Amino acid sequence: MTTTERPTPNPPGGIAGLIRRHPLVSFFVLALGLSWIAWTPWILSNNGLGVLDFSFPSILGTTQFTGMLFGAYLGPLGAAFIVTSITGGRAGLRVWVGRLLRWRVAPRWYLVALFAVPAAVLLLGTLASGGQVHAPSLLAVGLYVPALLLQMLTTGLAEEPGWRDFALPPLQERFGPLGAAAILGPLWGLWHVPLFFTEWGSWPAVTWLNVVEFIAFSALFNIVIMWLFNRSGQSLPIVMLFHVSLNNTVSVFWAEMFPTVGGDQLQHVLLAGAAVAATVTIILTRGRLGLPRTTPAFGHTAVESEKIAV
């Protein structure tokens, strides 16, 4: 009697098969590539390098809404949606969206997200200015909350569902907290690099030191964001608030309150503050960055319920 061997199924081919085999690499390639391609017209326009003789429309005094925002959404957010759809299907999308909608967390995390970064930024400004602090105008105070909400819908929504929601959990499972930080933070900073050739990066008043410092700041600030992500039960709203609180405080208050500290000095101050915060976070958490001892497998469809450890 003879036996017939069943043929071994061929591995999935094409782009979808490649994404299934290498989901994290695919995400990072798409996140950077899609944004960079979409930003190219803005970079080459009169709002950037001036290679193409046209300008993007200005909204609220900036062309970032018309020149940058679409590419920002298309990159991290779009890449996370594409890769999750292909690798996890509807179940994977439910987990991914579930973290984005995870508003019900302990009130203390809202206090941390809303006030910790502004307090730290204002302290840094006070130290850097030698105590020469000006009171903010009523207009700035009144604009803070509306600007924060706008930042949530733009910067927060464009970036965090990709960098922290999609990429961070599997990176931590595979490489551990510090390994994940060493990968995600620099790549997050690198994603911004083409923007230095536009009004976002104050082009043409840009040096390579500005770019290197920004990437270093991103890597260090990411460590603190990771801690908050892990400790808050992987709540994206909390992480988004924490992230945009920094952008909003600097945009709304810094120039008015610390007029003697600007330009490159501001970047030095933020980098130093992020270095201190990251170092303290690593030491106090013994390198765990708040990550539970057990984490779900990549693509797992259950909502994490482990007790969050320091």
Side-chain angles (χ1 to χ4, degrees):
M1 183 176 66
T2 61
T3 59
T4 303
E5 294 183 0
R6 293 181 180 179
T8 303
N10 293 324
I15 295 178
L18 181 64
I19 290 174
R20 290 190 186 100
R21 291 192 298 272
H22 307 286
L24 278 171
V25 173
S26 299
F27 165 76
F28 287 121
V29 170
L30 287 170
L32 273 64
L34 292 175
S35 288
W36 291 359
I37 291 171
W39 289 337
T40 298
W42 191 44
I43 293 169
L44 298 179
S45 73
N46 290 327
N47 308 111
L49 298 176
V51 175
L52 302 177
D53 189 19
F54 70 91
S55 299
F56 279 74
S58 180
I59 299 176
L60 299 178
T62 179
T63 63
Q64 294 184 39
F65 291 102
T66 55
M68 183 184 74
L69 191 56
F70 173 71
Y73 285 133
L74 188 63
L77 179 62
F81 176 80
I82 292 170
V83 177
T84 301
S85 298
I86 292 174
T87 60
R90 292 182 180 180
L93 287 172
R94 282 196 296 269
V95 174
W96 178 60
V97 174
R99 281 189 287 260
L100 181 60
L101 301 179
R102 199 168 292 173
W103 292 91
R104 298 181 64 179
V105 297
R108 66 180 181 274
W109 299 120
Y110 282 97
L111 295 177
V112 171
L114 289 171
F115 299 110
V117 171
V121 169
L122 296 181
L123 175 61
L124 288 170
T126 300
L127 295 174
S129 66
Q132 299 181 35
V133 183
H134 295 222
S137 65
L138 292 178
L139 177 62
V141 173
L143 283 176
Y144 185 81
V145 172
L148 183 69
L149 295 176
L150 180 61
Q151 288 267 8
M152 283 285 288
L153 295 175
T154 53
T155 300
L157 185 59
E159 296 192 34
E160 293 305 331
W163 304 125
R164 253 63 65 170
D165 191 349
F166 175 85
L168 182 53
L171 279 174
Q172 289 190 128
E173 181 196 359
R174 184 172 180 181
F175 300 104
L178 294 182
I183 296 170
L184 182 58
L187 285 173
W188 179 36
L190 180 64
W191 176 74
H192 294 80
V193 167
L195 297 176
F196 281 92
F197 298 100
T198 69
E199 68 175 41
W200 179 92
S202 302
W203 177 264
V206 176
T207 67
W208 282 109
L209 178 61
N210 298 141
V211 177
V212 171
E213 282 190 327
F214 181 84
I215 294 175
F217 167 81
S218 300
L220 293 166
F221 188 50
N222 171 66
I223 290 173
V224 186
I225 295 179
M226 285 178 58
W227 169 81
L228 185 62
F229 177 81
N230 290 326
R231 287 287 287 136
S232 65
Q234 300 186 349
S235 169
L236 257 290
I238 294 298
V239 169
M240 290 166 64
L241 281 171
F242 189 77
H243 177 177
V244 302
S245 289
L246 171 66
N247 300 38
N248 202 47
T249 303
V250 173
S251 299
V252 174
F253 288 136
W254 189 277
E256 286 196 2
M257 297 185 66
F258 313 108
T260 61
V261 184
D264 291 345
Q265 191 176 359
L266 167 59
Q267 194 168 34
H268 300 335
V269 169
L270 293 178
L271 178 58
V276 171
T279 301
V280 171
T281 301
I282 291 172
I283 292 174
L284 292 182
T285 64
R286 299 179 182 178
R288 292 292 301 174
L289 307 185
L291 183 69
R293 293 294 173 181
T294 58
T295 56
F298 181 45
H300 199 283
T301 58
V303 175
E304 298 79 7
S305 60
E306 292 87 3
K307 182 179 179 181
I308 303 299
V310 175

